[in-house]
Amino acid sequence: MQTELSKKLGVEHAVFGFTPFPAVAAAISRAGGFGVLGAVRYTAPDELKRDLDWIEAHVDGKPYGLDVVMPAKKVEGVTEADVEAMIPEGHRQFVKDTLAKYGVPELAEGEVSGWRITGWMEQVARNQLDVAFDYPIRLLANALGSPPADVVARAHDQDVLVAALAGSARHAVKHKEGGIDIVVAQGYEAGGHTGDIASMVLTPEVVDAVDPLPVLAAGGIGSGQQVAAALALGAQGVWLGSIWLTTTEAELPSPRLIEKLLAAGSGDTVRSRALTGKPARQLRTEWTDAWDSADGPGTLPMPLQGLLVADAVSRIQKYEVEPLLGTPVGQIVGRMTSERSVRAVFDDLTRGFEKAVDRINRIAGRSGQ
């Protein structure tokens, strides 16, 4: 599964794997793909440095990258406390009432939420980059569009390629104009922040719009046959995220959450603003239903919503409150029916890819050539 882009980066397979877990990122690179570590959960530079040190020690010299979140539109605030002060009391009360309805216990006295997503704030992301550029990362991806021009220039100065996610051809063209090297065409089926256009439509539109820039297809991809389809649509690789959540190297905080993922079908997700304030595909739960209800207060813009629900999400995960327990995940969750190693996922991807290519060759009358 090699393309011009995978050869340029020195990887065996044109499979780019996004994950918040260092062990998964390293395993993806060792398996012949390109591991990309999500940085949004790192609230302190030392935490990111610790995990990049770990990846360096376990990636066997293979290339890897980093994914940050630098929103184009942000709530202005000097500190996290300044931003927290913007949260209306009515929204705080809604969170309290919802947790009380389901009997979610409080965190222990002095215990701090483990789910602070201040990484949505630009300065936090810039602090992450100050750490990351001390490491031999080969790719910097931004999950919410093109990074600021000075960040793109800084990456290029260090021979780091820059990628940005796009949910439409119009967004993709803006990325190209901003000096981006790779566009990730993220379809409606994808987990996390995603747009309204399905991958089968979006991928060729973006390929045509940004030619000759390389495009990675994302959203609903979890089999080798789908990888082959993405390449047939003009992509130079695929960007996979959800499929790694149920790998044995992942570090999901709750056994019950893993069980929910393994049992979920492709129709058991929903695009909701409940987690971050922007539409993000995730497991549908009674938590997402509460926020999406007409009786609720409505969600807040990023990053206010994420800060508002941070403690609540930690409590739900810690105490495994099943009706509320969820995570960002794409529609590909319907294929995630067993825990497998990252290597096993790659074996499945490569076998499925070969079968798809053989099938097309037979249809085209090229069997045996």
Side-chain angles (χ1 to χ4, degrees):
M1 297 189 291
Q2 281 201 331
T3 64
E4 182 180 346
L5 178 60
S6 66
K7 292 176 182 177
K8 180 176 182 178
L9 288 168
V11 295
E12 183 180 357
H13 304 301
V15 174
F16 294 70
F18 164 82
T19 174
F21 307 120
V24 175
I28 290 169
S29 291
R30 290 198 307 270
F34 190 98
V36 181
L37 179 67
V40 70
R41 68 190 181 99
Y42 294 96
T43 58
D46 287 348
E47 296 172 352
L48 179 59
K49 183 179 187 304
R50 175 201 64 208
D51 282 355
L52 289 177
D53 283 340
W54 190 94
I55 289 177
E56 273 291 296
H58 292 84
V59 81
D60 293 348
K62 304 289 186 178
Y64 62 93
L66 190 75
D67 179 280
V68 297
V69 177
M70 302 184 78
K73 296 180 180 179
K74 57 184 183 296
V75 177
E76 296 292 345
V78 177
T79 67
E80 181 180 339
D82 295 329
V83 179
E84 289 256 21
M86 301 177 188
I87 298 174
E89 185 56 38
H91 283 73
R92 295 186 188 276
Q93 189 61 49
F94 180 76
V95 171
K96 292 177 183 177
D97 292 344
T98 304
L99 296 178
K101 176 181 177 181
Y102 291 92
V104 182
E106 297 277 356
L107 295 175
E109 185 176 353
E111 185 176 359
V112 179
S113 167
W115 200 84
R116 307 299 288 176
I117 58 167
T118 53
W120 307 125
M121 300 167 67
E122 181 177 339
Q123 188 54 52
V124 176
R126 286 184 178 276
N127 292 340
Q128 293 166 349
L129 294 178
D130 288 340
V131 173
F133 283 133
D134 286 336
Y135 292 82
I137 61 171
R138 296 293 312 281
L139 176 72
L140 173 66
N142 188 30
L144 291 179
S146 302
D150 66 297
V151 172
V152 175
R154 185 179 178 188
H156 287 166
D157 286 344
Q158 299 195 206
D159 198 28
V160 175
L161 296 180
V162 181
L165 277 65
S168 71
R170 177 173 56 86
H171 292 155
V173 169
K174 288 183 178 180
H175 296 341
K176 181 180 180 181
E177 293 171 348
I180 297 301
D181 305 294
I182 302 167
V183 175
V184 182
Q186 184 170 353
Y188 174 81
E189 310 95 324
H193 297 119
T194 188
D196 300 309
I197 305 173
S199 299
M200 184 64 75
V201 174
L202 180 65
T203 301
E205 284 188 353
V206 171
V207 168
D208 290 343
V210 302
D211 184 63
L213 286 188
V215 172
L216 300 178
I221 300 173
S223 73
Q225 291 90 337
Q226 291 170 308
V227 175
L231 299 189
L233 292 173
Q236 286 203 32
V238 292
W239 178 275
L240 309 185
S242 297
I243 196 72
W244 316 112
L245 289 174
T246 52
T247 57
T248 54
E249 293 91 345
E251 303 165 15
L252 284 178
S254 163
R256 287 188 183 178
L257 179 54
I258 296 173
E259 292 172 3
K260 289 188 74 170
L261 288 169
L262 296 177
S266 56
D268 292 329
T269 68
V270 64
R271 285 172 76 240
S272 172
R273 298 177 184 268
L275 195 61
T276 69
K278 291 181 72 69
R281 186 171 297 284
Q282 55 205 277
L283 281 181
R284 182 175 182 177
T285 66
E286 293 185 33
W287 177 257
T288 61
D289 285 350
W291 279 104
D292 295 338
S293 169
D295 298 331
T299 55
L300 299 170
M302 179 183 284
L304 300 182
Q305 182 71 16
L307 293 172
L308 168 65
V309 304
D311 286 342
V313 171
S314 286
R315 288 165 61 185
I316 292 166
Q317 291 181 346
K318 177 178 179 179
Y319 299 110
E320 298 188 301
V321 184
E322 197 276 339
L324 306 179
L325 191 60
T327 187
V329 69
Q331 292 180 332
I332 197 63
V333 69
R335 292 185 63 95
M336 296 157 51
T337 57
S338 64
E339 290 187 78
R340 300 177 292 166
S341 68
V342 169
R343 174 64 69 177
V345 172
F346 266 90
D347 289 344
D348 183 60
L349 290 173
T350 54
R351 283 194 298 266
F353 180 82
E354 290 169 357
K355 288 180 180 178
V357 172
D358 287 345
R359 184 182 302 118
I360 295 301
N361 280 336
R362 288 196 301 271
I363 292 171
R366 296 172 182 158
S367 181
Q369 295 184 16

